[in-house]
Amino acid sequence: MKFSLDEALPILTRTPMVLRHLLEDLPDTWVRGTEGPDTWSAFDIVGHLIHGERTDWITRTEILLTRGESLAFTPFDRFAQFEASGGKTLGELLDTFAEARAISLQRLQSLGLTGDDLDRRGLHPELGPVTLGELLATWVAHDLSHLAQIARVMGRQYTEAVGPWLAYLPMLKRPGGA
Amino acid sequence: MKFSLDEALPILTRTPMVLRHLLEDLPDTWVRGTEGPDTWSAFDIVGHLIHGERTDWITRTEILLTRGESLAFTPFDRFAQFEASGGKTLGELLDTFAEARAISLQRLQSLGLTGDDLDRRGLHPELGPVTLGELLATWVAHDLSHLAQIARVMGRQYTEAVGPWLAYLPMLKRPGGA
């Protein structure tokens, strides 16, 4: 499936509401449970998504469009949420994510991108040259990856509770990676 | 995390709305895309969830409570959705799933289960003796597994489109299992 803005925007637009319906007001056992030491809870993942809105996707899009390959993107801090989410409730994080995503999408729309722009190139600090289409496709895939991760982390809270059915639920057995 | 009805019910209650917000009115490329031959699309998975409501979870609960280990559950047909969903739209499947889940939860509530009931035992045709708590935990974990699967199948539609970012998105690379 080739990237297209028309197909990507519905996913990016929906993610905050999907997460709200999945997570809001759930017992903490679901929201704060992890997959073990040094793994993330649903709460941590929502914080990570907020950080992406604030520092990654649209910021990189604007750098790519204005600077091309002359300025590498700032590396993304994958652990920023542990400090930034401290003392917050999940409800607050869900609100913050919804607001931040709405702002990102307004900025994206205001760029008036065309299909031709998708081939424009920027410079990733580790990956090297990348196109705008690849950056925007990654934004979508990142949402979906973390939605899958949240569902997996939640499901794995029941790895013991399902008893012998574990044999039919491979997702609950495998450590790490969605 | 030990199974408890109070923690399980919010998940079972929300799944239809989560799927509606994730999937309704999306372009077919998201909804009908699979992970390759003999793998399921989001559309197929919603059909599978409907079949579970109609023939598996609450039906098995009632058999367990009335027959104990004297009658094995009917084996679950994991491919029934391919015929049952034929000619339907995704919107129709989402409506059907929401209605079927609401009925299942009414039937569950009407049983007036207590914590003690969770240790009662039934007979799975392949797995042998199982408890009611294990069956109900599996219902929850099955929802979450298939939500993760849907997000993964959708994300993998962009395995090519993300270009070099694939290196940071392990979910898009691994074939099968969430």
Side-chain angles (χ1 to χ4, degrees):
Chain A
M1 178 172 172
K2 203 167 141 46
F3 176 82
S4 89
L5 270 175
D6 286 346
E7 290 177 330
L9 284 172
I11 305 289
L12 294 174
T13 304
R14 286 152 186 250
T15 301
M17 194 59 84
V18 172
L19 294 180
R20 189 179 295 280
H21 279 279
L22 178 62
L23 297 173
E24 193 166 43
D25 299 325
L26 276 188
D28 260 2
T29 38
W30 292 117
V31 169
R32 298 287 190 156
T34 68
E35 296 175 292
D38 298 323
T39 66
W40 294 2
S41 67
F43 181 89
D44 299 328
I45 295 164
V46 177
H48 170 75
L49 290 170
I50 291 170
H51 191 67
E53 293 310 298
R54 289 184 170 157
T55 69
D56 190 329
W57 310 110
I58 198 72
T59 303
R60 288 180 169 189
T61 296
E62 291 168 349
I63 291 171
L64 182 151
L65 290 172
T66 55
R67 304 293 299 269
E69 295 176 72
S70 71
L71 178 67
F73 307 143
T74 304
F76 184 64
D77 180 352
R78 297 186 201 186
F79 300 96
Q81 68 273 13
F82 293 108
E83 190 167 343
S85 301
K88 304 275 192 353
T89 66
L90 178 73
E92 288 169 332
L93 295 191
L94 291 169
D95 289 345
T96 301
F97 177 56
E99 290 160 18
R101 173 57 58 90
I103 292 168
S104 297
L105 293 178
Q106 284 166 11
R107 284 165 72 182
L108 183 67
Q109 297 279 20
S110 74
L111 295 170
L113 298 175
T114 67
D116 286 346
D117 289 317
L118 300 179
D119 294 327
R120 293 175 64 177
R121 288 154 71 102
L123 188 62
H124 188 283
E126 292 176 10
L127 300 172
V130 290
T131 69
L132 179 59
E134 289 163 351
L135 172 60
L136 297 176
T138 302
W139 192 1
V140 172
H142 184 265
D143 270 20
L144 292 168
S145 282
H146 284 298
L147 174 60
Q149 182 187 14
I150 287 172
R152 185 191 75 222
V153 172
M154 291 169 67
R156 293 194 73 205
Q157 304 311 309
Y158 272 177
T159 296
E160 306 284 327
V162 299
W165 267 285
L166 188 59
Y168 296 161
L169 294 163
M171 185 191 80
L172 270 59
K173 280 192 285 195
R174 182 185 300 156
Chain B
M1 179 172 172
K2 203 167 142 46
F3 176 82
S4 89
L5 270 175
D6 287 347
E7 291 177 331
L9 283 172
I11 305 289
L12 295 174
T13 304
R14 285 151 187 250
T15 301
M17 193 58 82
V18 172
L19 294 179
R20 189 179 296 281
H21 280 278
L22 179 61
L23 297 174
E24 194 166 41
D25 299 325
L26 276 187
D28 261 0
T29 39
W30 292 118
V31 169
R32 297 288 190 155
T34 68
E35 297 175 291
D38 298 323
T39 66
W40 293 3
S41 67
F43 181 89
D44 298 328
I45 296 165
V46 176
H48 170 74
L49 290 170
I50 291 170
H51 191 68
E53 293 310 300
R54 288 183 170 157
T55 68
D56 189 329
W57 310 110
I58 198 71
T59 303
R60 288 180 169 189
T61 296
E62 291 168 347
I63 291 170
L64 181 151
L65 290 172
T66 55
R67 304 292 299 267
E69 295 177 71
S70 69
L71 179 67
F73 307 142
T74 304
F76 184 65
D77 180 353
R78 298 185 199 186
F79 300 96
Q81 68 272 13
F82 293 107
E83 189 168 343
S85 301
K88 304 274 192 351
T89 66
L90 178 72
E92 288 170 331
L93 295 191
L94 291 169
D95 289 344
T96 301
F97 177 55
E99 290 159 19
R101 173 58 56 91
I103 291 168
S104 296
L105 293 179
Q106 284 165 12
R107 284 165 71 183
L108 183 66
Q109 296 279 19
S110 74
L111 295 171
L113 297 175
T114 67
D116 287 345
D117 289 318
L118 300 178
D119 293 328
R120 293 173 65 176
R121 288 153 74 101
L123 187 62
H124 187 283
E126 292 176 10
L127 300 172
V130 290
T131 70
L132 179 59
E134 290 164 350
L135 171 61
L136 297 175
T138 302
W139 192 1
V140 172
H142 184 264
D143 270 21
L144 293 167
S145 282
H146 284 298
L147 174 60
Q149 183 187 13
I150 287 172
R152 185 190 75 221
V153 172
M154 291 170 66
R156 293 195 72 204
Q157 305 311 309
Y158 272 177
T159 295
E160 307 284 327
V162 299
W165 266 286
L166 188 58
Y168 296 163
L169 293 163
M171 186 192 80
L172 270 61
K173 280 192 285 196
R174 181 183 301 156

